[in-house]
Amino acid sequence: LQPVRFARWMSWLPGVKRMLQSSRNSTFAEVLALLIENQVPLEEAMPLAAEASGDPAAQREAAHWSRTIAQGGKLPFTRDRHGAISPLVHWLLSAQVGTTPLIQSLHSYAQGERRRAEYLADWLRIQLPVLLTLGIGGTVTLAYALAVLGPWYGLLFEFAQP
């Protein structure tokens, strides 16, 4: 399964979209921290980290940011943005803190997002069978009851006619 197709197909399940987003955010931040730690320029590191995350929207946003940085601009931080890349990561990159605090912050953020993704995966592992059993079993039971009891009620109604 391709990650984008999987996400589209499974997004109707509760918690799957948040779990995938947390996993992508974690991967992006971790890879970005490793690239910055190994002295890869930020305009090269951002598209590579976004590609590693597997999120097409993050890849587009990182490419835009990379072009902005390569042209000599800096990342403006706006409070009302709703992009694919986390606002915290955006703030860290736009604040232009030192390399060591940036790396530590990205690693900490990646660990938090990884824990959130693991928690949601555990929740899905436990709750998904219950939800599917109730949904599928309830639908089958209702269909069977209507198929059996519908004609029987019709027969009783015909018997009650004068």
Side-chain angles (χ1 to χ4, degrees), residues 104-125:
Q104 291 172 348
S105 299
L106 286 172
H107 280 302
S108 296
Y109 174 74
Q111 286 176 346
E113 287 294 307
R114 187 178 314 109
R115 278 194 302 264
R116 179 178 291 132
E118 288 172 357
Y119 169 77
L120 289 169
D122 287 341
W123 184 86
L124 279 171
R125 182 179 51 84

Side-chain angles (χ1 to χ4, degrees), residues 19-37:
M19 179 190 66
L20 289 174
Q21 189 61 41
S22 291
S23 175
R24 289 172 177 165
N25 287 342
S26 171
T27 302
F28 177 79
E30 189 69 35
V31 171
L32 186 62
L34 289 173
L35 289 170
I36 292 171
E37 191 174 8

Side-chain angles (χ1 to χ4, degrees), residues 2-61:
Q2 295 296 323
V4 174
R5 289 184 185 152
F6 175 76
R8 200 175 310 134
W9 187 71
M10 296 295 286
S11 65
W12 63 272
L13 293 171
V16 170
K17 192 179 264 188
R18 285 183 294 151
M19 179 190 66
L20 289 174
Q21 189 61 41
S22 291
S23 175
R24 289 172 177 165
N25 287 342
S26 171
T27 302
F28 177 79
E30 189 69 35
V31 171
L32 186 62
L34 289 173
L35 289 170
I36 292 171
E37 191 174 8
N38 289 304
Q39 300 171 348
V40 175
L42 189 59
E43 60 269 8
E44 293 176 21
M46 287 182 62
L48 290 173
E51 189 174 337
S53 74
D55 187 4
Q59 291 172 8
R60 288 189 298 274
E61 192 170 344

